[in-house]
Amino acid sequence: MQADKTYYRRLYSFRPGKSIRPEFLFTYTFPEILFEEYHGVKDLESGEPITADSVYRQYSTTKVAVCTGAMMLLERGKFLLNDPIYEYFPEWKDTMVAQPEEDGSYRVRPAKRPILIRDCFSMAMGIGYGGTDYTHQLRANVGEYTLQQEIKAMAEVPVAFDPGTHWLYGFGHELVAGLIEVVSGKGVGQFLKEELFEPLDMKNTGYHYFGDIRERMVTTYLLKEDGSREASP
């Protein structure tokens, strides 16, 4: 064990500069933890150090949990990957495509085929995050709602290409999360808690604050143009 600690600390010493970023080294052979060590602070203002009880925002890694939960429902026969998404969200039956023209304008036309569930899993359904093209501009006008309300509203936004023809990181996994709610009859957060997080003893994982999670969260920061940092909400 001591040899392992010496090795990892030696390895850590080669990092450039002295870091205040939240960092941890964690090695285990299930179920035994072989080595565990933490560095940095959880908040720049307070200087409170990172510990084993610190909690991090998952951001896009929530997609791993969502897709895992959805595949559990697939195994139970709740849907098929080749099912059109409109069978679960009727608003998506007549999907339109915003096709760019040579003069810089867009022609909105019917999609060549419906969006399938597998297109949502593989990020090939045609609505992304951010950007300045026609599809993203319209998406920005949709606003913030519950997941089901957002899915219904987003059905009015023309997609960027015919389903299944390109890859675009974006709204597909929101549709997968909504599918979980439709076929399970539970909110996606509740479903993942009961079917995934609790069975795996992931006691600190969830979609909303609970218990003392808020106080244990590691602060995230936005890097501004002048090089300063601003705490994220």
Side-chain angles (χ1 to χ4, degrees), residues 162-193:
D162 284 297
T165 61
H166 297 280
W167 183 88
L168 179 63
Y169 181 75
F171 196 70
H173 286 182
E174 273 79 356
L175 284 165
V176 174
L179 179 66
I180 289 176
E181 295 189 340
V182 171
V183 302
S184 72
K186 301 177 181 178
V188 62
Q190 186 67 25
F191 177 84
L192 294 177
K193 176 183 177 182

Side-chain angles (χ1 to χ4, degrees), residues 189-207:
Q190 186 67 25
F191 177 84
L192 294 177
K193 176 183 177 182
E194 295 176 0
E195 300 282 350
L196 193 61
F197 301 148
E198 288 183 344
L200 293 176
D201 200 29
M202 298 170 67
K203 299 176 181 179
N204 299 311
T205 305
Y207 273 82

Side-chain angles (χ1 to χ4, degrees), residues 46 59 125 131 150 161 174 178 183-184 187 204 206-207 212 218 225:
S46 69
Y59 291 106
M125 53 78 59
E150 184 179 21
F161 46 78
E174 273 79 356
V183 302
S184 72
N204 299 311
Y207 273 82
D212 64 347
V218 174
E225 291 186 2

Side-chain angles (χ1 to χ4, degrees), residues 15-47:
R15 75 195 191 286
K18 184 177 180 180
S19 177
I20 57 173
R21 298 174 301 174
E23 299 174 342
F24 60 88
L25 301 173
F26 188 79
T27 305
Y28 73 95
T29 299
F30 186 81
E32 180 186 3
I33 296 176
L34 300 180
F35 179 77
E36 184 177 3
E37 189 165 286
Y38 300 85
H39 300 268
V41 299
K42 68 184 291 289
D43 182 84
L44 293 177
E45 285 69 34
S46 69

Side-chain angles (χ1 to χ4, degrees), residues 49-232:
I50 290 290
T51 69
D53 291 326
S54 301
V55 181
Y56 303 81
R57 287 173 172 82
Q58 288 186 298
Y59 291 106
S60 289
T61 57
T62 58
K63 291 174 170 55
V64 177
V66 166
C67 289
T68 300
M71 293 305 288
M72 292 167 68
L73 291 167
L74 173 69
E75 290 180 335
R76 298 172 190 174
K78 298 296 185 179
F79 63 87
L80 297 175
L81 292 177
N82 284 333
D83 286 344
I85 198 68
Y86 70 72
E87 291 186 3
Y88 305 88
F89 302 104
E91 296 82 4
W92 287 78
K93 185 169 185 178
D94 299 314
T95 298
M96 304 296 287
V97 176
Q99 180 172 313
E101 300 293 321
E102 292 184 359
D103 61 1
S105 64
Y106 288 85
R107 177 171 64 90
V108 178
R109 60 166 176 81
K112 294 180 180 179
R113 68 160 173 81
I115 297 172
L116 307 181
I117 290 177
R118 60 182 169 89
D119 299 324
C120 301
F121 271 100
S122 62
M123 295 289 188
M125 53 78 59
I127 297 180
Y129 297 138
T132 58
D133 58 65
Y134 184 72
T135 298
H136 291 98
Q137 290 174 25
L138 291 181
R139 186 188 190 283
N141 294 330
V142 169
E144 298 294 334
Y145 307 97
T146 66
L147 177 60
Q148 293 297 319
Q149 288 172 330
E150 184 179 21
I151 287 173
K152 291 179 180 179
M154 287 296 289
E156 299 178 6
V157 178
V159 299
F161 46 78
D162 284 297
T165 61
H166 297 280
W167 183 88
L168 179 63
Y169 181 75
F171 196 70
H173 286 182
E174 273 79 356
L175 284 165
V176 174
L179 179 66
I180 289 176
E181 295 189 340
V182 171
V183 302
S184 72
K186 301 177 181 178
V188 62
Q190 186 67 25
F191 177 84
L192 294 177
K193 176 183 177 182
E194 295 176 0
E195 300 282 350
L196 193 61
F197 301 148
E198 288 183 344
L200 293 176
D201 200 29
M202 298 170 67
K203 299 176 181 179
N204 299 311
T205 305
Y207 273 82
H208 303 284
Y209 291 128
F210 58 91
D212 64 347
I213 293 294
R214 183 187 292 272
E215 290 71 34
R216 293 161 54 200
M217 291 296 297
V218 174
T219 304
T220 57
Y221 294 86
L222 298 174
L223 185 63
K224 302 170 69 173
E225 291 186 2
D226 63 3
S228 62
R229 296 179 175 88
E230 180 181 6
S232 301

